[in-house]
């Protein structure tokens, strides 16, 4: 059985019913993807993140400048909050005083994303695309993802930036290899408008939602060769990577 995202409950059900779960460990997926545990897991790769701190919510202070606050678990931007006032912060602290949060410097920029595959010891990097977030009337949350533009990133990124993006993807993939990961993972990278610098902001330790559509686009364009989803399946079943 292959699922979109593995969880401890799904893994337990498969074990009890005799089905073989193709997905990597649910525990590893949670550690890599969740906002608090991810920082520790990254180790020296924390250098790719924007300036950040891990704190208990009640201990976060307002400095007069807006910032990003994230709870450990989130989905499509629901756990990521742009704090723009002291009153907004106090309201969160009132409701969740003891909850750990990740506090990150706010950076104005464009969100880029890619679907990548760990296949054996190799890391295959997918197409860099623009992640469309916060677009009304499709959502009222500023960081919620509503779609992708598959060509725009290549119009705005220079060769050095593309190489820098690939460096981040390869580094994350390499660490996943060491942790016996298999198959797809996604990364979200922020392109700062003022400086052109790239910052890692999220790792999706699972099949990203856009994978199926990206594979359809790849097949429509090329008609031959691997799609990103085919590479995912081959990696999961242990086929040898001959590329």
């Amino acid at each position: 059985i292959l699922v979109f995202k593995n969880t401890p409950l799904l893994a337990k059900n498969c074990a009890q019913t005799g089905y073989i779960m193709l997905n990597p460990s649910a525990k590893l997926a949670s550690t890599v993807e969740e906002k608090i545990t991810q920082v520790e897991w990254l180790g020296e790769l924390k250098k790719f993140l924007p300036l950040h701190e891990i704190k208990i919510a009640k201990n976060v202070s307002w400095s007069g400048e807006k910032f990003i606050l994230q709870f450990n678990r989130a989905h499509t931007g629901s756990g990521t909050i742009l704090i723009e006032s002291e009153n907004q912060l106090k309201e969160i602290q009132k409701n969740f005083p003891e909850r750990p949060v990740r506090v990150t410097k706010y950076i104005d920029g464009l969100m880029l994303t890619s679907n990548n595959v760990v296949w054996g010891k190799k890391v295959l990097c997918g197409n860099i695309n623009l992640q469309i977030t916060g677009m009304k009337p499709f959502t009222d949350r500023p960081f919620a993802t509503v779609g992708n533009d598959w060509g725009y990133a290549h119009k705005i990124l220079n060769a050095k930036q593309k190489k820098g993006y690939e460096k981040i993807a390869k580094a994350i993939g390499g660490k996943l290899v060491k942790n016996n990961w298999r198959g797809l993972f996604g990364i979200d990278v922020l392109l700062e408008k003022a400086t052109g610098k790239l910052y890692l902001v999220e790792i999706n330790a699972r099949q990203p939602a856009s994978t199926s559509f990206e594979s359809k686009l790849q097949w429509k364009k090329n008609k031959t060769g691997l799609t990103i989803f085919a590479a995912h399946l081959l990696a999961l079943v242990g086929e040898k990577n001959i590329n």
Side-chain angles (χ1 to χ4, degrees):
I1 287 179
L2 172 65
V3 297
F4 172 73
K5 180 178 180 179
N6 195 5
T7 67
L9 181 59
L10 284 172
K12 181 180 179 181
N13 286 342
C14 280
Q16 290 175 340
T17 53
Y19 288 103
I20 298 172
M21 172 75 76
L22 292 177
N23 299 72
S25 159
K27 182 178 180 180
L28 176 59
S30 295
T31 298
V32 174
E33 185 159 344
E34 292 173 2
K35 302 302 183 290
I36 308 300
T37 55
Q38 180 187 98
V39 174
E40 182 178 356
W41 179 83
L42 279 169
E44 65 176 13
L45 299 185
K46 288 186 290 187
K47 63 185 180 182
F48 293 127
L49 297 171
L51 188 65
H52 65 278
E53 292 181 290
I54 305 298
K55 290 189 170 185
I56 301 301
K58 67 182 181 182
N59 295 332
V60 178
S61 58
W62 173 251
S63 66
E65 295 184 3
K66 58 186 177 182
F67 62 89
I68 303 295
L69 185 145
Q70 292 175 298
F71 296 115
N72 193 37
R73 297 182 182 182
H75 181 64
T76 60
S78 62
T80 299
I81 305 165
L82 176 61
I83 304 297
E84 298 184 274
S85 71
E86 187 172 16
N87 287 337
Q88 184 185 9
L89 174 61
K90 286 181 177 180
E91 185 64 25
I92 291 172
Q93 291 172 321
K94 177 182 176 182
N95 293 326
F96 310 104
E98 301 297 333
R99 185 172 293 187
V101 294
R102 186 158 117 190
V103 178
T104 302
K105 178 183 177 182
Y106 173 75
I107 296 173
D108 184 24
L110 297 174
M111 193 66 71
L112 307 174
T113 186
S114 64
N115 303 324
N116 316 284
V117 175
V118 169
W119 188 352
K121 301 297 183 181
K122 294 184 179 181
V123 181
L124 308 182
C125 298
N127 180 66
I128 307 171
N129 54 89
L130 176 71
Q131 188 178 83
I132 305 170
T133 57
M135 181 182 287
K136 296 180 179 181
F138 307 108
T139 181
D140 58 0
R141 299 200 304 266
F143 300 111
T145 303
V146 297
N148 301 73
D149 186 309
W150 300 91
Y152 187 70
H154 296 279
K155 298 177 182 178
I156 62 173
L157 294 176
N158 58 39
K160 183 179 179 180
Q161 289 169 323
K162 290 178 183 178
K163 188 174 181 180
Y165 187 104
E166 184 177 351
K167 181 181 179 181
I168 295 173
K170 290 278 190 181
I172 300 303
K175 191 166 182 67
L176 286 167
V177 167
K178 293 178 181 178
N179 283 255
N180 298 316
W181 185 263
R182 304 184 313 279
L184 276 159
F185 71 97
I187 61 170
D188 294 348
V189 174
L190 187 69
L191 172 65
E192 187 174 20
K193 290 180 180 178
T195 65
K197 290 181 66 175
L198 297 169
Y199 295 93
L200 174 70
V201 295
E202 188 167 332
I203 305 171
N204 293 311
R206 54 177 169 77
Q207 175 189 329
S210 60
T211 303
S212 298
F213 188 68
E214 180 176 8
S215 296
K216 288 181 180 179
L217 292 176
Q218 290 169 332
W219 182 255
K220 183 178 181 181
K221 181 179 180 180
N222 301 317
K223 301 299 182 185
T224 59
L226 280 175
T227 64
I228 197 75
F229 189 71
H232 176 51
L233 289 175
L234 291 168
L236 289 174
V237 298
E239 287 292 321
K240 185 176 179 180
N241 185 346
I242 59 173
N243 292 308

mmCIF file of all heavy atoms in Angstrom, residues 47-51 107 111 168 188-192 195 197-202:
data_model
loop_
_atom_site.group_PDB
_atom_site.id
_atom_site.type_symbol
_atom_site.label_atom_id
_atom_site.label_comp_id
_atom_site.label_asym_id
_atom_site.label_seq_id
_atom_site.Cartn_x
_atom_site.Cartn_y
_atom_site.Cartn_z
ATOM 1 N N LYS A 47 21.632 26.419 8.754
ATOM 2 C CA LYS A 47 22.163 27.619 8.117
ATOM 3 C C LYS A 47 21.312 28.068 6.933
ATOM 4 O O LYS A 47 21.366 29.233 6.530
ATOM 5 C CB LYS A 47 23.590 27.371 7.633
ATOM 6 C CG LYS A 47 23.696 26.285 6.555
ATOM 7 C CD LYS A 47 25.134 25.975 6.190
ATOM 8 C CE LYS A 47 25.222 24.890 5.113
ATOM 9 N NZ LYS A 47 26.629 24.558 4.790
ATOM 10 N N PHE A 48 20.516 27.164 6.374
ATOM 11 C CA PHE A 48 19.662 27.513 5.241
ATOM 12 C C PHE A 48 18.377 28.231 5.685
ATOM 13 O O PHE A 48 17.686 28.826 4.854
ATOM 14 C CB PHE A 48 19.281 26.268 4.436
ATOM 15 C CG PHE A 48 20.438 25.618 3.732
ATOM 16 C CD1 PHE A 48 20.706 24.267 3.912
ATOM 17 C CD2 PHE A 48 21.267 26.343 2.892
ATOM 18 C CE1 PHE A 48 21.776 23.655 3.262
ATOM 19 C CE2 PHE A 48 22.338 25.746 2.232
ATOM 20 C CZ PHE A 48 22.589 24.401 2.425
ATOM 21 N N LEU A 49 18.035 28.147 6.974
ATOM 22 C CA LEU A 49 16.805 28.761 7.482
ATOM 23 C C LEU A 49 16.992 30.256 7.702
ATOM 24 O O LEU A 49 18.106 30.716 7.957
ATOM 25 C CB LEU A 49 16.401 28.117 8.806
ATOM 26 C CG LEU A 49 16.043 26.630 8.808
ATOM 27 C CD1 LEU A 49 15.896 26.137 10.239
ATOM 28 C CD2 LEU A 49 14.777 26.372 8.015
ATOM 29 N N PRO A 50 15.906 31.036 7.656
ATOM 30 C CA PRO A 50 15.991 32.432 8.101
ATOM 31 C C PRO A 50 16.293 32.476 9.598
ATOM 32 O O PRO A 50 16.171 31.457 10.295
ATOM 33 C CB PRO A 50 14.576 32.983 7.822
ATOM 34 C CG PRO A 50 13.922 31.990 6.934
ATOM 35 C CD PRO A 50 14.549 30.666 7.216
ATOM 36 N N LEU A 51 16.672 33.639 10.112
ATOM 37 C CA LEU A 51 16.935 33.812 11.538
ATOM 38 C C LEU A 51 15.709 33.376 12.339
ATOM 39 O O LEU A 51 14.593 33.815 12.070
ATOM 40 C CB LEU A 51 17.261 35.271 11.832
ATOM 41 C CG LEU A 51 17.739 35.602 13.255
ATOM 42 C CD1 LEU A 51 19.078 34.926 13.523
ATOM 43 C CD2 LEU A 51 17.856 37.114 13.427
ATOM 44 N N ILE A 107 10.472 37.852 6.247
ATOM 45 C CA ILE A 107 11.203 38.222 5.039
ATOM 46 C C ILE A 107 10.203 38.369 3.906
ATOM 47 O O ILE A 107 9.406 37.461 3.632
ATOM 48 C CB ILE A 107 12.256 37.165 4.670
ATOM 49 C CG1 ILE A 107 13.325 37.081 5.773
ATOM 50 C CG2 ILE A 107 12.917 37.486 3.333
ATOM 51 C CD1 ILE A 107 14.311 35.954 5.576
ATOM 52 N N MET A 111 7.608 32.633 -2.734
ATOM 53 C CA MET A 111 7.808 31.261 -2.298
ATOM 54 C C MET A 111 8.014 30.349 -3.503
ATOM 55 O O MET A 111 7.186 30.315 -4.418
ATOM 56 C CB MET A 111 6.614 30.767 -1.483
ATOM 57 C CG MET A 111 6.887 29.469 -0.754
ATOM 58 S SD MET A 111 8.152 29.669 0.520
ATOM 59 C CE MET A 111 7.230 30.634 1.726
ATOM 60 N N ILE A 168 20.480 23.516 -1.817
ATOM 61 C CA ILE A 168 19.617 23.283 -0.652
ATOM 62 C C ILE A 168 18.894 21.946 -0.784
ATOM 63 O O ILE A 168 18.874 21.131 0.143
ATOM 64 C CB ILE A 168 18.606 24.434 -0.489
ATOM 65 C CG1 ILE A 168 19.328 25.745 -0.179
ATOM 66 C CG2 ILE A 168 17.600 24.106 0.623
ATOM 67 C CD1 ILE A 168 18.428 26.967 -0.167
ATOM 68 N N ASP A 188 10.163 24.029 0.389
ATOM 69 C CA ASP A 188 9.712 25.378 0.081
ATOM 70 C C ASP A 188 10.851 26.326 0.400
ATOM 71 O O ASP A 188 11.424 26.270 1.493
ATOM 72 C CB ASP A 188 8.478 25.761 0.910
ATOM 73 C CG ASP A 188 7.257 24.930 0.542
ATOM 74 O OD1 ASP A 188 7.302 24.235 -0.488
ATOM 75 O OD2 ASP A 188 6.277 24.960 1.296
ATOM 76 N N VAL A 189 11.188 27.178 -0.538
ATOM 77 C CA VAL A 189 12.323 28.087 -0.406
ATOM 78 C C VAL A 189 11.860 29.505 -0.718
ATOM 79 O O VAL A 189 11.200 29.744 -1.732
ATOM 80 C CB VAL A 189 13.465 27.677 -1.359
ATOM 81 C CG1 VAL A 189 14.584 28.695 -1.340
ATOM 82 C CG2 VAL A 189 13.998 26.295 -0.982
ATOM 83 N N LEU A 190 12.201 30.438 0.160
ATOM 84 C CA LEU A 190 11.798 31.833 -0.001
ATOM 85 C C LEU A 190 12.880 32.609 -0.743
ATOM 86 O O LEU A 190 14.050 32.567 -0.366
ATOM 87 C CB LEU A 190 11.546 32.465 1.364
ATOM 88 C CG LEU A 190 10.959 33.880 1.367
ATOM 89 C CD1 LEU A 190 9.522 33.866 0.870
ATOM 90 C CD2 LEU A 190 11.014 34.480 2.772
ATOM 91 N N LEU A 191 12.472 33.306 -1.789
ATOM 92 C CA LEU A 191 13.362 34.194 -2.528
ATOM 93 C C LEU A 191 13.129 35.615 -2.026
ATOM 94 O O LEU A 191 12.075 36.200 -2.265
ATOM 95 C CB LEU A 191 13.077 34.114 -4.032
ATOM 96 C CG LEU A 191 13.802 35.127 -4.927
ATOM 97 C CD1 LEU A 191 15.312 34.895 -4.906
ATOM 98 C CD2 LEU A 191 13.262 35.049 -6.357
ATOM 99 N N GLU A 192 14.102 36.166 -1.279
ATOM 100 C CA GLU A 192 13.958 37.505 -0.717
ATOM 101 C C GLU A 192 14.002 38.551 -1.830
ATOM 102 O O GLU A 192 14.942 38.585 -2.634
ATOM 103 C CB GLU A 192 15.060 37.771 0.304
ATOM 104 C CG GLU A 192 14.885 39.080 1.052
ATOM 105 C CD GLU A 192 15.899 39.262 2.164
ATOM 106 O OE1 GLU A 192 16.952 38.595 2.139
ATOM 107 O OE2 GLU A 192 15.629 40.082 3.075
ATOM 108 N N THR A 195 17.139 41.212 -1.613
ATOM 109 C CA THR A 195 18.525 40.766 -1.777
ATOM 110 C C THR A 195 18.717 39.650 -2.797
ATOM 111 O O THR A 195 19.843 39.413 -3.247
ATOM 112 C CB THR A 195 19.088 40.265 -0.438
ATOM 113 O OG1 THR A 195 18.360 39.084 -0.041
ATOM 114 C CG2 THR A 195 18.940 41.332 0.650
ATOM 115 N N LYS A 197 18.410 36.576 -1.975
ATOM 116 C CA LYS A 197 18.891 35.424 -1.220
ATOM 117 C C LYS A 197 17.793 34.370 -1.095
ATOM 118 O O LYS A 197 16.598 34.686 -1.111
ATOM 119 C CB LYS A 197 19.365 35.851 0.171
ATOM 120 C CG LYS A 197 20.651 36.667 0.178
ATOM 121 C CD LYS A 197 21.069 37.023 1.593
ATOM 122 C CE LYS A 197 21.447 35.793 2.397
ATOM 123 N NZ LYS A 197 21.979 36.125 3.746
ATOM 124 N N LEU A 198 18.213 33.134 -0.944
ATOM 125 C CA LEU A 198 17.288 32.019 -0.809
ATOM 126 C C LEU A 198 17.322 31.473 0.610
ATOM 127 O O LEU A 198 18.399 31.291 1.185
ATOM 128 C CB LEU A 198 17.652 30.903 -1.793
ATOM 129 C CG LEU A 198 17.572 31.247 -3.279
ATOM 130 C CD1 LEU A 198 18.215 30.143 -4.107
ATOM 131 C CD2 LEU A 198 16.126 31.460 -3.717
ATOM 132 N N TYR A 199 16.128 31.200 1.167
ATOM 133 C CA TYR A 199 16.019 30.664 2.520
ATOM 134 C C TYR A 199 15.091 29.457 2.521
ATOM 135 O O TYR A 199 13.971 29.525 2.004
ATOM 136 C CB TYR A 199 15.448 31.708 3.482
ATOM 137 C CG TYR A 199 16.312 32.920 3.693
ATOM 138 C CD1 TYR A 199 16.127 34.067 2.922
ATOM 139 C CD2 TYR A 199 17.314 32.941 4.671
ATOM 140 C CE1 TYR A 199 16.910 35.207 3.111
ATOM 141 C CE2 TYR A 199 18.097 34.069 4.874
ATOM 142 C CZ TYR A 199 17.885 35.188 4.086
ATOM 143 O OH TYR A 199 18.666 36.307 4.282
ATOM 144 N N LEU A 200 15.538 28.366 3.130
ATOM 145 C CA LEU A 200 14.672 27.207 3.337
ATOM 146 C C LEU A 200 13.620 27.554 4.380
ATOM 147 O O LEU A 200 13.949 28.062 5.451
ATOM 148 C CB LEU A 200 15.512 26.017 3.821
ATOM 149 C CG LEU A 200 14.737 24.760 4.219
ATOM 150 C CD1 LEU A 200 14.137 24.085 2.993
ATOM 151 C CD2 LEU A 200 15.664 23.787 4.955
ATOM 152 N N VAL A 201 12.348 27.280 4.093
ATOM 153 C CA VAL A 201 11.298 27.570 5.073
ATOM 154 C C VAL A 201 10.463 26.338 5.432
ATOM 155 O O VAL A 201 9.796 26.321 6.463
ATOM 156 C CB VAL A 201 10.357 28.708 4.594
ATOM 157 C CG1 VAL A 201 11.119 30.012 4.475
ATOM 158 C CG2 VAL A 201 9.701 28.365 3.280
ATOM 159 N N GLU A 202 10.505 25.290 4.598
ATOM 160 C CA GLU A 202 9.673 24.123 4.906
ATOM 161 C C GLU A 202 10.203 22.886 4.200
ATOM 162 O O GLU A 202 10.736 22.964 3.091
ATOM 163 C CB GLU A 202 8.219 24.384 4.477
ATOM 164 C CG GLU A 202 7.242 23.321 4.917
ATOM 165 C CD GLU A 202 5.781 23.743 4.750
ATOM 166 O OE1 GLU A 202 5.505 24.951 4.811
ATOM 167 O OE2 GLU A 202 4.946 22.856 4.585
#
